[in-house]
Amino acid sequence: MNSDRLFGVVVILGALAYAAGALQIQTSFMSDPVGSKTFPLVLAGVAVICGLIMIFRPEADPDWPGLATLGSLAISVIVMVGYAYAIKPLGFMLPTALCAAILSFQISPRAVPSALTGVGLSVGLFIVFKFALGLGLQPFPKGWF
Amino acid sequence: MDLLANLALGFSVALSPFTLFLAVVGCFLGTIIGALPGLGPSNGVAILIPLAFSLGLDATSSLVLMTSVYYGAMYGGRISSILLNIPGDEPALMTTLDGYPMAKAGRAGDALVLSGFASFFGALFATIGLMLLAPILSRIAYQFGPAEYFALYLLAFSTLGGIASSNQAKAALASCIGLGIAMIGLDNQTGMPRLTGGNLHLLDGIDFLVAIVGLFAVAEVFIFIESHGRGSSIGVKLDKVTLPVRELVRGIGTMIRCSVIGFIAGVLPGAGASLGSFLAYVAEKKWRGGESSGFGKGNPQGVIAPEAGNNSAAGGALVPMLTLGVPGSGTTAVLLALLMTLNITPGPTLFTDRPEVVWGLIASLLIANFVLLAMNVPLVKIFVKILTVPAWVLLPGVMMISFVGIFSLTGSYFDLLLMIVFGIIGWLFRKLNIPTVPIILGILLGKHMEDALRRAMILSDGDWTYLFSSGIAIGLWAFAVLGFVAPLFLRHLIKKPQAVSD
């Protein structure tokens, strides 16, 4: 109940922000009867109606995970964001091994299999990407070898 | 005989050694992807598109490769449904209803062989249907102006929200989110930036591939992290595979009926394969005598029905996708994304301008179907081995492939971050029971839908009644409203069967 209501409020606020953004769109000298604002505004309107329906006719709450699981989800997100920034400067091998190992550990918390998974995926995928698919990946940071 | 000449052209493309090789590779990869628990046709095809694109294949080759993967994943999905009771995607859910009880009763081999033949029959039926129906529909589609196209897009969203989901408001919201995201970037008509918040990365808009990989693949990883991979490797053993001739013969009627139902469901824009397998299962259950038929307790016909319907719908979904540019399911939405990436505009002109693409694709599908039958009946044991890959190896692998795919496509960390954000949204929406396919459809079709509306208004000089000015447009509007509203009343009459629990 409450999850849907809360999300409905978020949707309405988001839709209003979107509509406000749409009103700021600059128009140019070339214009057509509909213009660049109408369609986004209609979308925001429909979204507000959907949000209201979610508030007034909510469905049953889903099973939200416990704090520990939310923690491991948060860790996974942080690791992925770090990976997104690391893959260019640090090359493919090291970040991939680390990131895959941590993700594997979040799914099944056993240190040795996770570490092996990380290293195995890093080496295996690199070979596939580089030699079978011919992608231009940098294995290690520039200047190491 | 146009058809024969076209088919000859198609086979001349498809039978070149390289294309044939791609079809076989695609079928093999597809079956693996389908068989892997938690990976289905949509997310499987989604993570492969960026890689296929960076291989630098030409349009026909990439299309053949990816549609083979698509067909293969539809076949392979039944393996994890039957042996593990884990459907790879929504349409496969119906196969678990009788497939898993059969497997528990020691008849896993029979279930796999029967469903393999049912898949073959359904897919073959649909490919032939595609061959006959698509050229006709593409001729009708020539009469579509902007007003008709606008109504058609609306129909796709409303059937997707109405028939294929359980909550209209949530499905409509998802469509709005997708369409809203599509608005971001430069305005096609005026050339001014819209809703970018001044962010330079957003001037080009949000790449639909980033959204697709995020919503389908990354979200799946989060789901598995949440469940800690539970229930992913307990399965039923497969002993020996024999050919249950008698049941196969008894199932021919089932296959024909369910292929027809599935094909029709697939052709409806927005309805897709889930509806196909669901309707096929329910109808066959009625045909065989309702509750007394033993459906849901391991009746072999209950495995044949949804698999024939499912695969037939998958092929049927290609009809509106190729002729009108409106996908009929989540996976065809992903295939539409592939076409757009390859700079092919689906629609009636595709059949006249690029016949080698369309007919090459159709011929490849025919060939792929036979390859898949060979792979999935005698060689099914090889793919069953794949089920033993544990989630803690599989999911990090999926994640890394998604990252590398998007990275090699765009080379920007901003898109990677965006993909993670879409992954979080996908996970949250799955929890809240909000469908994610309309978001993809919205992002893919948003610009076209708006353009159609604006062009219609330019033609009519701002007269809104122009939207309802032709018979086709009025018909499409009527179906759109009906498709969205009717399920509200029908929901009490037709109830979805619940998954089998141990």
Side-chain angles (χ1 to χ4, degrees):
Chain A
M1 300 286 277
N2 288 329
S3 306
D4 266 17
R5 291 210 167 109
L6 188 66
F7 191 72
V9 174
V10 173
V11 166
I12 291 173
L13 292 178
L16 291 179
Y18 189 82
L23 289 173
Q24 300 292 314
I25 296 170
Q26 292 177 347
T27 42
S28 71
F29 61 94
M30 288 204 309
S31 184
D32 52 296
V34 178
S36 17
K37 296 174 186 176
T38 316
F39 201 69
L41 286 176
V42 170
L43 290 175
V46 176
V48 168
I49 297 171
C50 295
L52 287 174
I53 295 176
M54 284 180 75
I55 292 174
F56 289 108
R57 302 204 39 197
E59 291 182 339
D61 268 347
D63 296 325
W64 291 109
L67 274 182
T69 310
L70 280 181
S72 53
L73 283 171
I75 292 172
S76 314
V77 172
I78 293 166
V79 169
M80 287 176 195
V81 172
Y83 184 71
Y85 280 103
I87 188 167
K88 215 169 201 170
L90 294 183
F92 179 77
M93 296 291 235
L94 295 179
T96 304
L98 196 64
C99 181
I102 295 174
L103 286 179
S104 172
F105 191 78
Q106 301 307 325
I107 294 174
S108 166
R110 286 172 302 155
V112 177
S114 300
L116 289 177
T117 304
V119 175
L121 278 175
S122 167
V123 175
L125 287 179
F126 182 75
I127 291 170
V128 171
F129 289 143
K130 186 86 186 175
F131 299 107
L133 299 180
L135 301 184
L137 285 176
Q138 200 73 38
F140 294 105
K142 276 192 185 131
W144 271 27
F145 295 103
Chain B
M1 285 307 281
D2 264 2
L3 184 65
L4 289 181
N6 284 330
L7 267 183
L9 169 70
F11 275 105
S12 72
V13 175
L15 284 176
S16 78
F18 183 62
T19 319
L20 209 57
F21 166 75
L22 285 177
V24 174
V25 170
C27 291
F28 187 75
L29 279 178
T31 311
I32 292 178
I33 286 168
L36 287 169
L39 269 186
S42 352
N43 40 24
V45 175
I47 59 172
L48 288 183
I49 287 181
L51 291 177
F53 191 62
S54 41
L55 276 179
L57 295 172
D58 64 80
T60 317
S61 308
S62 332
L63 202 57
V64 168
L65 179 67
M66 297 314 288
T67 36
S68 308
V69 172
Y70 170 49
Y71 263 36
M74 298 302 291
Y75 267 77
R78 77 195 206 287
I79 299 177
S80 60
S81 303
I82 290 171
L83 293 179
L84 302 180
N85 198 21
I86 301 173
D89 64 347
E90 213 198 328
L93 178 69
M94 294 294 145
T95 313
T96 63
L97 297 180
D98 279 280
Y100 188 61
M102 263 183 96
K104 274 203 297 193
R107 301 187 57 202
D110 287 357
L112 284 174
V113 171
L114 287 172
S115 58
F117 273 102
S119 300
F120 170 75
F121 192 90
L124 189 66
F125 180 89
T127 313
I128 294 171
L130 168 69
M131 226 155 67
L132 299 174
L133 188 61
I136 301 172
L137 198 60
S138 78
R139 238 166 281 145
I140 297 174
Y142 268 120
Q143 304 177 8
F144 277 41
E148 285 80 10
Y149 266 108
F150 182 74
L152 180 71
Y153 292 136
L154 203 70
L155 172 68
F157 284 109
S158 74
T159 45
L160 197 64
I163 304 171
S165 90
S166 56
N167 184 325
Q168 264 81 353
K170 288 182 175 178
L173 174 68
S175 309
C176 284
I177 293 174
L179 291 168
I181 291 172
M183 295 299 109
I184 297 172
L186 291 181
D187 183 346
N188 278 353
Q189 314 249 345
T190 62
M192 303 300 278
R194 286 200 288 178
L195 301 156
T196 58
N199 189 328
L200 284 180
H201 293 290
L202 289 176
L203 272 185
D204 279 343
I206 289 176
D207 193 326
F208 43 77
L209 284 177
V210 174
I212 290 173
V213 175
L215 286 174
F216 286 161
V218 180
E220 194 67 41
V221 175
F222 288 136
I223 298 266
F224 266 82
I225 291 174
E226 188 198 344
S227 68
H228 291 286
R230 262 194 308 274
S232 58
S233 55
I234 333 132
V236 183
K237 282 257 164 1
L238 175 67
D239 297 328
K240 57 180 190 301
V241 182
T242 51
L243 192 64
V245 181
R246 269 188 49 222
E247 265 151 4
L248 199 61
V249 173
R250 276 191 60 206
I252 289 176
T254 313
M255 288 185 205
I256 296 173
R257 280 190 294 278
C258 294
S259 299
V260 174
I261 296 174
F263 186 72
I264 295 171
V267 171
L268 292 175
S274 333
L275 186 73
S277 69
F278 167 67
L279 283 181
Y281 185 85
V282 173
E284 191 58 26
K285 189 176 173 181
K286 277 259 157 59
W287 178 277
R288 297 267 170 188
E291 292 305 320
S292 61
S293 60
F295 266 50
K297 299 189 187 76
N299 186 334
Q301 306 303 325
V303 180
I304 293 176
E307 274 305 310
N310 179 357
N311 284 275
S312 182
L318 291 174
V319 175
M321 202 271 274
L322 288 174
T323 53
L324 300 168
V326 175
S329 68
T331 320
T332 33
V334 178
L335 287 177
L336 178 66
L338 172 73
L339 287 177
M340 290 169 146
T341 321
L342 295 169
N343 220 356
I344 301 173
T345 316
T349 47
L350 183 62
F351 283 75
T352 45
D353 295 353
R354 312 276 306 262
E356 83 285 357
V357 172
V358 181
W359 292 99
L361 173 70
I362 290 175
S364 307
L365 288 178
L366 284 171
I367 295 169
N369 215 0
F370 284 94
V371 175
L372 280 166
L373 183 69
M375 277 184 189
N376 277 278
V377 176
L379 306 179
V380 70
K381 284 202 140 172
I382 302 172
F383 294 103
V384 170
K385 290 265 187 303
I386 288 159
L387 293 178
T388 51
V389 175
W392 45 270
V393 175
L394 175 64
L395 274 305
V398 169
M399 194 68 212
M400 297 298 116
I401 295 173
S402 312
F403 266 103
V404 172
I406 295 296
F407 184 71
S408 62
L409 195 68
T410 68
S412 106
Y413 70 91
F414 181 79
D415 282 333
L416 293 178
L417 295 181
L418 213 53
M419 178 182 89
I420 300 169
V421 171
F422 275 111
I424 298 170
I425 293 176
W427 176 76
L428 195 68
F429 279 22
R430 282 265 282 269
K431 297 300 284 182
L432 288 169
N433 193 24
I434 300 172
T436 47
V437 174
I439 303 182
I440 302 289
L441 211 58
I443 299 177
L444 283 172
L445 300 181
K447 278 259 162 71
H448 296 278
M449 191 170 173
E450 198 203 9
D451 277 348
L453 177 68
R454 290 169 78 168
R455 235 176 280 144
M457 287 303 107
I458 291 173
L459 283 176
S460 70
D461 211 12
D463 179 9
W464 290 92
T465 55
Y466 180 73
L467 289 178
F468 312 97
S469 59
S470 77
I472 298 177
I474 293 174
L476 289 169
W477 275 91
F479 274 114
V481 174
L482 198 72
F484 193 70
V485 178
L488 283 175
F489 304 103
L490 293 176
R491 196 157 290 149
H492 304 287
L493 300 177
I494 307 174
K495 250 194 167 160
K496 274 206 174 177
Q498 291 298 307
V500 195
S501 53
D502 290 287

